[in-house]
Amino acid sequence: MLIKILSASLHGIEAYQVEVEVDINRGLPAFVIVGLPDAAVRESKERVRAALRNCGFDFPAKRIIINLAPASRKKEGSAFDLPIALGLLAFLGIIPAEKLSQFIFVGELTLEGSLKAVRGALPYSLLAKRKKLDGLVLPLKNAREASLVRETSVFGLNHLLEVVKLFSSPEEIKPCSYQLKELVGETKSELDFSEVRGQQQVKRTLEVAAAGSHNLLMIGPPGSGKTMLARRLPTILPEMSFEEIIEVTQVYSAAGLLGDRAAVSERPFRSPHHTITDTGLIGGGNYPKPGEVSLAHRGVLFMDEFPEFSRQALESLRQPLEDGQVTISRVAGSLTYPCSFMLVAAMNPCADVLIGSGSEINCTDLERRKYYSRLSKPLLDRIDIQIEVPSVKYHDIISKPVGEPSVEIRQRVSAARKKQWSRFQGRRIFANGQMSSRDIRQFCSLNQEAARLMEAAMKRFRFSARAYDRILKVARTIADLANEESIFPAAVAEAIQYRILDRF
């Protein structure tokens, strides 16, 4: 007897349909799972056997073969426990076999029949929507996450017996219903820009970076507030749209990092240690998982002690920064993860920074050049803004924090972003920092006075063609913050100040 049940598995952050075929015939009792299962899938036969018996059902003493189709793709995880158990129950006549192809079933079984949470609930729900199925049946702990897809009927259940009841008494089991605000929640952060003492120029620079989604490098001595400022950057970025929430939540769901949250509604802030490997940063592994660049999607990737990261890890950032996605190739195939993020890097002026209570930084130009040489020119060319963060003055340290709150800065940033969204309608970019050379020529024209200023700067500082494009992009953002249609000379002058590494 052959029974088919619909389930799903993950390929990167996307879900694909898996047909669980259960064939039960006479012969020596056996329980075999085929279709490229990993160890967790192969062990499901013991969990399913114990769960059925502990729920009061007989286990067929026959030859049982489970095929996970398509057999050409590797299957991992414990989410196939539930569909395998339902196939055996259909053989026993406890549930109707014809209804098992109308839903997607995923869930891990405990030995007494309870359903445990699995990762990837949101991608599974999106798959059920694409396939136009009757719904998705999964553990109750995953129900809130899966309910983000409003067009999918989500049945979150606690026990195998409840799944049986879904077919025997369907009127008693209703789809989960949650308010959108209950799922997404409100974005609240304990951090605020008003807590930062001094550093007015650096705060202005962060506002410009946030308004145009520009990558940023801060250079300053320890204790100057680089990390403190970077951690507050997400509080001035525009609030996430529902589409962005779905994108980011899908990444975290596939990585199994949602925890008790139904969704990621705050812009991510990831801060990997400088000892991280290139695989941890970009993603990969035997069963490829999203790396830090993908976990920072639509948010901020903060890399402190920037030159201390391995050369290989730093160079692997170049493609994600350029394309907004990262492709991981393995023998079995390739995966593509989204990674549209703002890079915020921080570093010391030189390898050994000595600061006295009343002295300046002991770094010569030679020491600076030697330390900066750890960063390749192609990587630095992808960072629009490079600034120095000075030491905090004594009178700023002892003064009360009376800076502008994040909510006011966010309003200006959001207004500038709306201008950019309108400007780039119909394109695959949403901010000035993502403009290509063609876009720059179209949207960053200079008037005569601004052009003369730019020409003088190019000759004096010997900026490269790439630096020229970066300056124009930042100047366009400064003009957007000032609500100006054209780029004015003061915007060009301010943007030129943000290219300090081009002078060494």
Side-chain angles (χ1 to χ4, degrees):
M1 180 178 182
L2 180 64
I3 300 168
K4 293 184 178 181
I5 310 100
L6 289 186
S7 187
S9 187
L10 291 174
H11 182 72
I13 64 169
E14 299 288 338
Y16 66 93
Q17 183 175 298
V18 174
E19 280 192 354
V20 180
E21 299 177 318
V22 180
D23 182 70
I24 304 176
N25 286 297
R26 287 178 294 181
L28 291 175
F31 196 159
V32 181
I33 300 178
V34 296
L36 286 183
D38 71 349
V41 178
R42 289 194 297 269
E43 291 172 353
S44 66
K45 58 187 179 183
E46 304 302 334
R47 292 191 294 272
V48 169
R49 191 195 309 269
L52 290 180
R53 287 176 175 170
N54 288 326
C55 289
F57 302 116
D58 294 328
F59 190 85
K62 296 180 178 293
R63 182 172 178 79
I64 302 170
I65 299 177
I66 309 293
N67 180 46
L68 306 177
S72 58
R73 283 185 169 182
K74 187 80 173 178
K75 316 299 186 311
E76 60 171 311
S78 54
F80 296 108
D81 290 4
L82 178 59
I84 291 173
L86 293 178
L88 298 178
L89 291 176
F91 170 78
L92 296 173
I94 295 171
I95 59 176
E98 62 273 8
K99 290 189 177 182
L100 294 178
S101 60
Q102 299 172 7
F103 297 84
I104 287 179
F105 299 90
V106 289
E108 176 185 337
L109 285 172
T110 65
L111 298 186
E112 54 90 22
S114 295
L115 292 175
K116 296 191 69 175
V118 294
R119 63 184 180 91
L122 179 58
Y124 297 150
S125 188
L126 291 169
L127 175 64
K129 174 187 172 183
R130 289 198 305 270
K131 297 293 184 179
K132 298 180 180 179
L133 298 173
D134 289 350
L136 170 67
V137 180
L138 78 176
L140 181 61
K141 288 185 178 179
N142 294 122
R144 292 173 65 240
E145 173 194 342
S147 297
L148 282 170
V149 184
R150 313 303 286 177
E151 299 85 351
T152 301
S153 296
V154 176
F155 295 87
L157 305 174
N158 273 320
H159 201 276
L160 179 60
L161 294 176
E162 293 182 21
V163 182
V164 174
K165 194 174 184 180
L166 174 65
F167 295 100
S168 61
S169 305
E171 68 282 353
E172 297 183 23
I173 306 292
K174 303 296 181 183
C176 297
S177 178
Y178 298 98
Q179 296 294 324
L180 187 59
K181 288 184 178 180
E182 184 182 356
L183 298 175
V184 174
E186 297 181 2
T187 57
K188 294 181 180 179
S189 176
E190 297 178 355
L191 305 176
D192 198 276
F193 259 79
S194 61
E195 301 165 340
V196 180
R197 294 176 171 87
Q199 304 293 20
Q200 297 303 320
Q201 181 58 42
V202 184
K203 287 191 280 188
R204 163 65 180 177
T205 306
L206 287 174
E207 180 180 340
V208 172
S213 190
H214 298 289
N215 299 320
L216 169 69
L217 173 61
M218 295 185 286
I219 305 171
S224 57
K226 301 187 295 296
T227 302
M228 182 182 187
L229 288 159
R231 290 190 179 279
R232 282 155 179 76
L233 182 58
T235 67
I236 65 172
L237 291 173
E239 292 186 359
M240 295 176 71
S241 65
F242 184 71
E243 291 74 18
E244 288 178 320
I245 290 174
I246 292 291
E247 286 180 21
V248 178
T249 303
Q250 193 172 354
V251 174
Y252 277 72
S253 176
L257 297 176
L258 272 182
D260 295 330
R261 295 177 294 178
V264 179
S265 56
E266 294 183 1
R267 294 196 179 273
F269 180 88
R270 304 294 298 185
S271 180
H273 192 261
H274 61 77
T275 57
I276 192 172
T277 64
D278 57 319
T279 300
L281 186 63
I282 301 301
N286 292 332
Y287 296 106
K289 298 290 192 306
E292 291 292 332
V293 296
S294 296
L295 296 175
H297 183 55
R298 301 300 185 191
V300 175
L301 177 67
F302 177 55
M303 300 179 70
D304 201 4
E305 305 295 343
F306 199 41
E308 304 301 330
F309 285 80
S310 71
R311 185 81 175 196
Q312 188 173 356
L314 289 176
E315 292 306 306
S316 65
L317 284 173
R318 288 161 57 179
Q319 184 217 349
L321 287 173
E322 196 74 24
D323 301 337
Q325 61 183 22
V326 58
T327 300
I328 301 168
S329 297
R330 295 291 184 268
V331 175
S334 63
L335 296 172
T336 299
Y337 294 115
C339 58
S340 180
F341 60 92
M342 273 185 66
L343 173 64
V344 179
M347 59 184 285
N348 296 327
C350 57
D352 297 313
V353 180
L354 302 175
I355 301 179
S357 59
S359 64
E360 294 298 327
I361 303 169
N362 288 329
C363 288
T364 65
D365 285 350
L366 180 61
E367 290 172 329
R368 287 173 181 261
R369 289 192 185 96
K370 183 179 179 181
Y371 195 50
Y372 297 160
S373 67
R374 299 186 185 184
L375 307 174
S376 70
K377 193 67 169 65
L379 177 59
L380 290 175
D381 280 340
R382 288 165 172 79
I383 300 178
D384 297 346
I385 299 176
Q386 308 152 0
I387 60 165
E388 284 190 339
V389 182
S391 301
V392 183
K393 304 301 181 184
Y394 175 72
H395 65 83
D396 289 327
I397 296 175
I398 64 173
S399 64
K400 292 182 179 180
V402 289
E404 193 175 17
S406 293
V407 64
E408 294 182 11
I409 304 175
R410 171 180 270 180
Q411 289 174 357
R412 295 195 296 270
V413 169
S414 298
R417 283 285 186 99
K418 285 179 182 177
K419 291 176 67 69
Q420 295 163 49
W421 292 333
S422 176
R423 178 183 301 136
F424 302 129
Q425 250 182 351
R427 298 171 181 262
R428 297 181 63 184
I429 59 177
F430 61 87
N432 292 333
Q434 300 174 319
M435 285 193 291
S436 65
S437 296
R438 181 182 298 177
D439 298 322
I440 292 170
R441 301 295 176 266
Q442 181 176 351
F443 299 113
C444 299
S445 58
L446 302 176
N447 60 31
Q448 191 172 5
E449 186 180 354
R452 283 199 301 268
L453 177 60
M454 191 71 195
E455 182 181 2
M458 291 288 290
K459 291 179 179 178
R460 180 176 179 181
F461 299 114
R462 298 180 181 178
F463 289 134
S464 66
R466 283 183 176 176
Y468 174 80
D469 285 350
R470 303 290 170 181
I471 292 171
L472 287 182
K473 289 198 287 187
V474 174
R476 177 68 269 174
T477 299
I478 295 170
D480 289 339
L481 280 170
N483 199 26
E484 295 286 346
E485 292 300 324
S486 61
I487 299 176
F488 49 93
V492 174
E494 183 178 350
I496 291 171
Q497 295 177 17
Y498 299 147
R499 300 297 304 179
I500 65 168
L501 287 187
D502 291 322
R503 305 171 196 173
F504 287 96

